[in-house]
Amino acid sequence: MPLFDLPLEQLEKYRSSVVEPVDFDEFWDQTLAEAQSFDLAATFEPVNNRLAVIETFDVTFAGFGGAPIKGWLHLPAHREPGKKLPAVVEYLGYSGGRSLPNQGNRWAQAGYAHFVMDTRGQGFGGSFGETPDPHPSAGGVAYAGLMTRGINSREDYYYRRLFVDGFRAVQAVQRHPAVDPHRIVLNGISQGGGISLAVAGLVAGRLDGVIGVLPDVPFLQDFPRAIDTAAKGPYPDIFAFLSRHREKYEGILKVLNYFDGVHFAARAQTPVLYSVALADDVCPPSTVFASYNAYGEKSGDVRKAIEVYRFNNHEGGQEHHWVKQLDFLQSL
C-alpha cells in the first residue's frame, strides 16, 4: 500500500498534541497502591512442554484487584547451575493469549528467562489464552472488543487493569530463583509494545530492576491522532462507538488521556529500542514517533533508538527486527 502518514522527515520531529492530566501521577500512585494491597501470591508449577531444551513453569500471580493472572516462564534447560538469568517479560498483541507451553519461547532459546504474561479477557484471536476479566465493567455497554470496555470512567477502563497486571508481572518474575531481579527487559509487539511502554513508565521511581524496553510497532500511543488516522485494527472500534455515542467524544478523550503511551514514555528511564513501520495502518507511524520523541524527556538523558521499516505494514520488521533486539540486549 502507499505511505499514508507524514513524510519521514516530519515524523522524526512529530510531537503529540496531548497534554497530560495534572493528576496523572497521583492517579497511578493510587492505582498501584491498591494493587499492592493484594498479596502477589506468585506460584511457579513445572509443566511438561515436551521440549528437550526448554523448561517451562505454569505461573499464576495476583493482578489488578487481586484477580489471578496466568503466564508461562520459560528457562533454558541446560543453564549453568546457580547462575541467575536476565529475564525478558513479554506482553502480547491484541486478542492474543499465552498459547500452549511449547510455543512462543524464543527468548529462552537465546539464553534468557522468558516470561509470557497472559492477557485478561483475551486469547480469542491469534493465540490461546486462559485468563478471564472478572471486573464488573466488562459487561457494560461498549463496542465489540476491548477498546471501549469501561471507557466512561478512568477507574473502570480496561487498560487500567491490564497495565497493573503488566506491572505485577515484573514483580512476579523477579520472585523466581533462576531470575536476576536486577536485569529485567520489557518486550511486546503492538498491544504488547504499548503495555511495555506503560510498565516502563510505571516502574520509574517505583520498582527497581528494569534495564531495557523493546516496544515493537507499539499500540496505545497518541490516542487523538490514532482515532483519526488508523484505518484498521482496534482503534476504529472507538471511532465506531462514537458514531453512535457522539456526545461522549470529549469525555472519552479525557479518560484515554490517563492511558496514553506518550505520557508513560516520557517518564521512562531505561534504554529503549522502538520499531515503526511506515505503511502501518493499524498503529500509524506518527503515533509511534509521538511516543518515541517523548521517551525519557522527564528523566533527562536516556539512550534510545528506533528502527524504521519503510515498506512494511503492521507486521514490522519481524525476524529481522528480532536480530536487532538481540544485539540491543547484548549492549545493555
Side-chain angles (χ1 to χ4, degrees), residues 38-65:
F38 294 92
D39 183 3
L40 185 62
T43 61
F44 303 87
E45 299 293 333
V47 297
N48 179 12
N49 62 15
R50 298 170 179 80
L51 301 175
V53 295
I54 303 294
E55 183 180 358
T56 298
F57 296 85
D58 186 354
V59 183
T60 306
F61 66 94
F64 181 91

Side-chain angles (χ1 to χ4, degrees), residues 20-325:
E20 69 181 47
V22 294
D23 61 346
F24 183 89
D25 290 315
E26 179 183 353
F27 172 73
W28 284 105
D29 282 339
Q30 292 175 352
T31 294
L32 291 173
E34 291 174 15
Q36 301 286 52
S37 69
F38 294 92
D39 183 3
L40 185 62
T43 61
F44 303 87
E45 299 293 333
V47 297
N48 179 12
N49 62 15
R50 298 170 179 80
L51 301 175
V53 295
I54 303 294
E55 183 180 358
T56 298
F57 296 85
D58 186 354
V59 183
T60 306
F61 66 94
F64 181 91
I69 308 298
K70 300 297 291 182
W72 299 123
L73 177 62
H74 304 294
L75 301 175
H78 305 299
R79 60 191 180 275
E80 182 180 333
K83 182 179 179 180
K84 292 183 179 293
L85 299 173
V88 175
V89 177
E90 181 181 1
Y91 306 109
L92 300 171
Y94 188 85
S95 83
R98 68 173 181 166
S99 300
L100 298 175
N102 60 348
Q103 295 177 286
N105 51 45
R106 63 180 183 174
W107 291 107
Q109 296 176 46
Y112 296 89
H114 182 183
F115 184 84
V116 182
M117 187 187 85
D118 206 13
T119 311
R120 64 166 62 217
Q122 298 191 34
F124 54 83
S127 53
F128 174 76
E130 297 181 278
T131 301
D133 180 13
H135 195 270
S137 70
V141 175
Y143 190 80
L146 300 159
M147 295 305 295
T148 61
R149 181 173 290 181
I151 202 169
N152 291 314
S153 161
R154 64 180 188 173
E155 286 76 21
D156 289 340
Y157 190 47
Y158 171 78
Y159 281 98
R160 181 180 184 227
R161 304 191 288 281
L162 192 53
F163 290 170
V164 168
D165 294 346
F167 182 94
R168 299 277 275 176
V170 175
Q171 295 179 304
V173 75
Q174 287 177 319
R175 297 284 180 90
H176 194 277
V179 170
D180 183 342
H182 305 292
R183 299 169 68 196
I184 308 297
V185 174
L186 311 175
N187 166 242
I189 299 172
S190 191
Q191 176 185 255
I195 301 170
S196 71
L197 286 165
V199 175
L202 291 174
V203 300
R206 297 184 179 100
L207 181 65
D208 293 332
V210 175
I211 62 169
V213 192
L214 303 171
D216 193 358
V217 291
F219 182 48
L220 307 170
Q221 315 298 303
D222 196 2
F223 276 109
R225 172 102 179 145
I227 293 169
D228 286 348
T229 58
K232 297 179 181 178
Y235 286 125
D237 291 359
I238 302 175
F239 197 101
F241 181 78
L242 290 170
S243 75
R244 302 309 303 166
H245 297 273
R246 304 163 182 86
E247 76 287 355
K248 293 182 178 292
Y249 180 59
E250 295 299 331
I252 281 177
L253 284 186
K254 288 180 180 179
V255 170
L256 292 175
N257 206 14
Y258 288 90
F259 304 92
D260 201 311
V262 171
H263 305 324
F264 293 110
R267 287 161 169 76
Q269 299 176 352
T270 61
V272 66
L273 174 63
Y274 279 73
S275 81
V276 61
L278 297 193
D280 191 342
D281 55 4
V282 175
C283 294
S286 54
T287 67
V288 177
F289 271 99
S291 177
Y292 176 74
N293 289 332
Y295 190 91
E297 65 182 7
K298 287 185 177 292
S299 55
D301 185 21
V302 176
R303 175 187 165 200
K304 62 182 184 179
I306 186 167
E307 289 290 336
V308 177
Y309 296 98
R310 180 177 179 85
F311 300 105
N312 288 93
N313 201 308
H314 194 53
E315 75 279 0
Q318 299 172 295
E319 67 275 12
H320 301 281
H321 189 62
W322 188 51
V323 173
K324 295 181 184 296
Q325 289 178 326

